[in-house]
Amino acid sequence: SVDELIDAKILAIGARIEQWITYHGFALNVDPDMSHFNLIVPCGIQDKAVVSMRQVLGKEVDFGTVRQAVIRRFGEVFGVKMEEATLSESDQVLALSGLVPSVT
């Protein structure tokens, strides 16, 4: 029902601090296999259903379009220029920061 969708969980935001390093991220349910959520209690919230954008909108959702919109808005909200990087480039930046050992 519509009421169930309104009160359901579609996004998770997390943060952790470990040894003076912060880790943070989020997960947006665009169009996952919803049966996987029967195996877990997302974020320990037992009394809320989990939904996807596809369920809420009632139509197929293009992941690439959502991804680009999230990247654009993230940059706007936090006032940063977003740039795509390969995993190798990301590893190099982290190694240069001294936060992780160099990857060879």
Side-chain angles (χ1 to χ4, degrees):
S1 78
V2 173
D3 289 336
E4 289 172 336
L5 291 178
I6 290 172
D7 203 29
K9 185 175 181 298
I10 196 168
L11 174 82
I13 299 174
R16 175 178 69 148
I17 301 172
E18 183 180 309
Q19 298 180 2
W20 299 98
I21 298 172
T22 60
Y23 302 86
H24 44 299
F26 71 94
L28 174 60
N29 298 333
V30 177
D31 190 12
D33 179 345
M34 297 304 291
S35 68
H36 295 163
F37 289 99
N38 295 330
L39 305 172
I40 63 172
V41 179
C43 300
I45 303 172
Q46 296 181 6
D47 63 337
K48 299 292 181 198
V50 179
V51 297
S52 67
M53 289 181 68
R54 180 183 186 132
Q55 288 174 298
V56 170
L57 298 172
K59 64 180 183 178
E60 195 169 315
V61 179
D62 179 63
F63 182 81
T65 302
V66 173
R67 180 176 181 267
Q68 289 304 312
V70 169
I71 291 168
R72 185 185 73 252
R73 282 298 291 149
F74 185 94
E76 291 170 2
V77 168
F78 292 101
V80 295
K81 180 181 179 204
M82 303 297 290
E83 293 184 22
E84 235 178 287
T86 65
L87 184 55
S88 176
E89 291 168 333
S90 297
D91 286 343
Q92 289 173 2
V93 169
L94 288 172
L96 289 172
S97 72
L99 297 175
V100 297
S102 179
V103 178
T104 56

